[in-house]
Amino acid sequence: MFKQIKDLAGGEFYLILSLIIFMAFFILVTVYLLKMNKQHIAEMSNLPISEPQNHGYEEV
């Protein structure tokens, strides 16, 4: 398998680019989650529990 990767003619660019995009995406998501307002996270996590859900039908 590694021999096939090593023998790519000009394909190294795509391998490196895909790795950079992959890493950048997860780094950006991690930074976003760490900077997210903790109050907002707590409020959203309790939302399904704290408010009654009425989807247009009555519970019997």
Side-chain angles (χ1 to χ4, degrees), residues 33-47 50:
L33 289 175
L34 290 175
K35 288 188 163 230
M36 188 179 279
N37 187 356
K38 306 304 181 219
Q39 175 84 24
H40 178 70
I41 294 172
E43 183 180 327
M44 289 296 125
S45 67
N46 291 327
L47 189 61
S50 62

Side-chain angles (χ1 to χ4, degrees), residues 16-31:
I16 294 170
L17 182 65
S18 63
L19 178 64
I20 290 171
I21 291 171
F22 178 80
M23 293 299 293
F25 173 77
F26 283 104
I27 289 171
L28 288 173
V29 168
T30 303
V31 169

Side-chain angles (χ1 to χ4, degrees), residues 1-8 12 15:
M1 182 171 115
F2 293 113
K3 186 177 180 181
Q4 291 173 342
I5 293 173
K6 192 173 101 175
D7 291 338
L8 289 174
E12 311 85 34
L15 290 172

